[in-house]
Amino acid sequence: MYAQMVKSTGERPKTLDEMTPEERAFQTRIDADIKIEPKEWMPEGYRKTLIRQISQHAHSEVVGQLPEGNWINRAPTLDRKAILIAKVQDEAGHGLYLYCAAETLGVSRDELIQQLLTGKAKYSSIFNYPSLTWADIGAIGWLVDGAAIMNQVQLQRCSYGPYSRAMIRICKEESFHQRQGYDIMMALMRGSPEQQEMAQDALNRWWWPSLMMFGPSDADSVHSAQSMAWKIKPVGNDELRQRFVDQTVPQAEFIGLKVPDPEVKWNEERGHYDFGEIDWEEFYRVLKGEGPCNRERMAARQKAWDDGEWFREGLMAHSKKRAAKKLAAE
Amino acid sequence: MNDNPTIEFALRMGDNCLILAQQVGAWCGHAPVVEEDIAFANVALDLIGQTKLWLGYAGELEGKGRSADDLAFLRDVRQFRNCLLVEQPNDEFAKALMRQFLFDAWHHPMLTALTKSSNARIAEIAEKSVKEVSYHLERSHDLITRLGDGSPESHAKMQEALNDLWRFTGELMTPDSVDEALAADGAAPELSDIQAEYTAYMRSALEEATLVAPEKVHMYQGGKTGVHTEKLGHLVAEMQWMQRAYPGLKW
């Protein structure tokens, strides 16, 4: 997934004793792993947290088209071009399912888009980094989609039915995306010295932002605690980040790439890779809107929205005309 | 020009697909609604597949060992054989849709006729492509109708796009020695037959969309023989950037 720092109620989860009977019945269903469906009663905080999380995820898919779309016109071969278009198209499709999943919670797609454009809703900060070379398309698929899968696999177990089902479908496509990214990196590493350099440079630039995708440590986050109690987000940020590092470091080594962190080292005792401290200042700066491409990404989405207004209104006008004609004929 | 008209013909068909795919692929992430991002990406994917078939065939006939990729990424602009219509600017969605519609409405009857080609290879490529293109036409026709007969603004935009692009449709149906040679062998249809079909189809489609084709415009020619508009050089430069900057590498 591409949601980081989703705010929940801001309070610690209630104990069963503190809950109203309705809340208790709801929590009991969650604890028994019974999915919650759109028409059922749910605490307002659950609904709002889910809307935030699902819409942030949807926006990330849609904004995520931009850095990769940046290379559709310049893909080096016809096959690479087709694969990249198919991939970016999948992201658009994911955005669509997710907007639909959010709509089941009583909010419209247009409202959600307005929240994105006004900056009220966030999208994953990873897409505020630029795609500068063809190798970035490899790195994005391998690392960014790799981190996304790590997150989404656990979200297949999310307590909210429509989101969980959307995740099952999305995960299948994301694993293809990750493989295509790694395949690009592999081809580069098998190639000329300048191709290898291009691949290493892309890894250097995308490694740390990819680790940031999991969000800050959840040791003391009340938002995470509540989301975990509601099984909106079954696994914590730190654990997911560790899984990602454990999976990715050997993949890098296998093709001769070096992860740009001198502290990366296998820890026999923990059974995991150790890794260095993330620059959280950079994370918060990008989140606040001062990343390399925040303005450009929002400007592109705003332009698509503004330039498309006539199109959306034209279709609505036509459908009203048709309905009126049908009525007149009856 | 190649001495072998079949090579020229395959290049024309393939380059139309290639250049249009390059244009519509660029809309992914920038269209007015996410459904259109998806739809245009679909069209681009189909067209890239068709490009590979036509250019692959052209390369084989040529016999110099050039692949579809070599032809796409290593020819200069004067060697491209696409029609002028598909290279027209991509900066407005209304024009991108109208360009698609005007092209699809030719591409579909053309491919349908080519399924009966005396050249088995051409018939085979057409057979595969026509299924995809019938969906392209269905989509572009539907959108043209709804937007033409939509709001005053959408109507105005579609009419303006039609006024601007109509002058590039004539080229598609104006035969030259290549078209005549293939038609004489039964390898391709007589373009006058396609013209008749196109005219009838447009009359009814545009009427339904409340749009009017401009009358008495000069029909621009040149793409089929490699004399293009200025736009194509920029498009090709961007498309070929990687192969030109890093010659001979595998990606």
Side-chain angles (χ1 to χ4, degrees):
Chain A
M1 95 154 165
Y2 300 109
Q4 80 233 328
M5 288 198 66
V6 174
K7 288 194 177 136
S8 183
T9 56
E11 286 162 21
R12 67 169 173 80
K14 288 183 187 172
T15 64
L16 283 177
D17 291 343
E18 292 166 337
M19 290 178 187
T20 63
E22 263 176 331
E23 289 170 341
R24 200 173 307 132
F26 178 81
Q27 189 64 47
T28 309
R29 292 190 56 154
I30 301 253
D31 293 343
D33 284 332
I34 300 169
K35 295 282 181 232
I36 307 300
E37 296 300 334
K39 296 225 157 80
E40 294 171 31
W41 184 88
M42 60 185 79
E44 206 39 38
Y46 178 86
R47 180 192 304 275
K48 283 189 177 152
T49 307
L50 266 174
I51 290 176
R52 267 188 224 116
Q53 178 163 327
I54 299 173
S55 67
Q56 193 180 115
H57 190 167
H59 297 327
S60 300
E61 300 282 0
V62 169
V63 177
Q65 293 181 87
L66 300 172
E68 292 183 283
N70 184 36
W71 278 88
I72 288 177
N73 280 3
R74 290 177 291 169
T77 68
L78 293 171
D79 281 340
R80 289 292 185 198
K81 191 192 286 291
I83 294 166
L84 181 58
I85 292 175
K87 189 200 172 221
V88 180
Q89 183 191 36
D90 282 349
E91 312 294 4
H94 298 172
L96 197 52
Y97 303 153
L98 289 163
Y99 282 129
C100 293
E103 283 183 319
T104 63
L105 292 159
V107 59
S108 74
R109 198 204 303 185
D110 282 2
E111 281 172 73
L112 296 174
I113 291 174
Q114 284 317 308
Q115 290 175 3
L116 171 71
L117 296 178
T118 57
K120 190 180 164 214
K122 299 282 179 210
Y123 56 92
S124 178
S125 287
I126 193 77
F127 301 118
N128 290 317
Y129 289 85
S131 62
L132 300 177
T133 71
W134 173 250
D136 288 27
I137 297 306
I140 292 173
W142 173 37
L143 302 173
V144 176
D145 289 83
I149 295 170
M150 209 46 95
N151 235 319
Q152 283 162 349
V153 163
Q154 48 122 16
L155 287 172
Q156 296 178 93
R157 291 188 283 120
C158 170
S159 59
Y160 188 57
Y163 191 36
S164 156
R165 289 188 288 272
M167 277 309 121
I168 292 169
R169 191 155 171 190
I170 288 174
C171 274
K172 287 185 190 143
E173 294 180 348
E174 295 288 8
S175 74
F176 154 76
H177 296 171
Q178 193 199 10
R179 270 179 280 148
Q180 72 86 30
Y182 193 61
D183 184 65
I184 290 176
M185 295 306 257
M186 243 181 336
L188 294 173
M189 292 308 288
R190 277 197 221 111
S192 72
E194 56 194 339
Q195 284 174 304
Q196 293 170 7
E197 199 180 310
M198 200 187 271
Q200 182 64 54
D201 168 61
L203 173 59
N204 293 349
R205 284 180 291 109
W206 289 92
W207 173 255
W208 290 108
S210 299
L211 295 193
M212 292 176 200
M213 281 177 69
F214 297 94
S217 169
D218 42 16
D220 43 22
S221 162
V222 285
H223 297 302
S224 269
Q226 179 61 76
S227 285
M228 285 166 82
W230 275 333
K231 295 188 185 165
I232 286 176
K233 185 176 185 306
V235 183
N237 296 347
D238 294 321
E239 188 180 336
L240 291 169
R241 185 164 21 242
Q242 181 70 59
R243 285 186 200 170
F244 176 72
V245 172
D246 289 348
Q247 174 186 288
T248 311
V249 171
Q251 290 174 343
E253 285 169 356
F254 181 72
I255 54 175
L257 286 166
K258 197 168 157 23
V259 170
D261 176 0
E263 291 179 48
V264 162
K265 201 175 147 202
W266 178 252
N267 183 326
E268 196 60 53
E269 204 177 305
R270 290 202 307 126
H272 291 293
Y273 280 94
D274 291 335
F275 56 97
E277 188 56 35
I278 289 167
D279 179 358
W280 292 112
E281 264 180 44
E282 175 178 326
F283 173 79
Y284 286 108
R285 188 171 65 240
V286 180
L287 192 69
K288 214 172 78 191
E290 295 176 344
C293 303
N294 296 58
R295 288 183 194 216
E296 288 80 355
R297 300 294 184 239
M298 272 305 93
R301 290 313 308 161
Q302 186 73 53
K303 185 174 188 309
W305 180 256
D306 293 345
D307 290 356
E309 195 180 358
W310 70 270
F311 175 89
R312 296 186 300 271
E313 283 181 357
L315 294 185
M316 293 300 289
H318 179 79
S319 108
K320 275 186 204 149
K321 278 186 193 174
R322 197 148 57 180
K325 264 185 210 158
K326 203 177 156 202
L327 202 66
E330 275 168 12
Chain B
M1 286 246 285
N2 287 286
D3 295 338
N4 180 343
T6 309
I7 298 179
E8 279 293 311
F9 182 78
L11 288 174
R12 289 174 183 184
M13 294 301 288
D15 286 344
N16 283 340
C17 296
L18 174 63
I19 301 303
L20 193 55
Q22 180 75 2
Q23 303 253 51
V24 297
W27 278 100
C28 200
H30 303 277
V33 286
V34 75
E35 285 87 344
E36 294 307 313
D37 287 333
I38 296 171
F40 254 161
N42 249 344
V43 173
L45 284 172
D46 289 342
L47 291 173
I48 292 173
Q50 295 172 25
T51 302
K52 286 168 62 179
L53 298 173
W54 287 118
L55 295 188
Y57 182 40
E60 279 172 42
L61 286 175
E62 186 190 52
K64 293 181 189 162
R66 291 204 285 180
S67 65
D69 272 88
D70 293 334
L71 290 169
F73 293 102
L74 298 173
R75 278 177 302 159
D76 200 353
V77 70
R78 292 276 286 109
Q79 274 82 53
F80 276 82
R81 295 290 183 258
N82 58 280
C83 62
L84 299 176
L85 176 65
V86 294
E87 70 194 47
Q88 293 311 303
N90 210 30
D91 46 4
E92 285 179 47
F93 199 69
K95 287 190 181 165
L97 281 179
M98 185 55 78
R99 180 183 62 204
Q100 190 69 40
F101 174 61
L102 296 176
F103 180 74
D104 293 341
W106 169 81
H107 204 196
H108 188 259
M110 187 69 184
L111 288 170
T112 305
L114 289 174
T115 60
K116 300 185 189 75
S117 171
S118 60
N119 176 319
R121 189 67 177 278
I122 290 178
E124 196 182 300
I125 297 173
E127 192 69 52
K128 185 186 175 298
S129 307
V130 76
K131 292 181 194 124
E132 296 167 345
V133 171
S134 84
Y135 157 74
H136 301 175
L137 180 59
E138 192 184 316
R139 167 183 175 263
S140 61
H141 182 170
D142 176 58
L143 282 174
I144 290 322
T145 311
R146 287 153 73 196
L147 293 165
D149 186 21
S151 68
E153 190 184 3
S154 73
H155 174 82
K157 278 191 183 282
M158 297 321 290
Q159 184 62 54
E160 190 192 326
L162 180 61
N163 292 348
D164 187 39
L165 295 171
W166 185 252
R167 65 199 158 115
F168 298 110
T169 57
E171 180 182 27
L172 288 161
M173 287 154 289
T174 308
D176 65 3
S177 60
V178 170
D179 299 304
E180 280 158 6
L182 269 86
D185 283 349
E190 294 285 355
L191 288 185
S192 54
D193 293 346
I194 303 293
Q195 171 85 68
E197 214 176 312
Y198 194 81
T199 307
Y201 181 85
M202 277 296 160
R203 193 176 298 130
S204 108
L206 292 178
E207 190 188 320
E208 195 188 348
T210 71
L211 298 171
V212 183
E215 277 177 42
K216 292 183 188 160
V217 287
H218 172 67
M219 287 293 179
Y220 286 66
Q221 313 274 337
K224 279 163 48 161
T225 51
V227 183
H228 293 276
T229 54
E230 287 179 347
K231 158 82 182 161
L232 188 66
H234 297 275
L235 185 153
V236 163
E238 187 183 30
M239 179 174 76
Q240 297 182 339
W241 156 252
M242 290 292 289
Q243 292 292 348
R244 300 294 189 181
Y246 302 97
L249 300 183
K250 290 218 180 322
W251 300 95

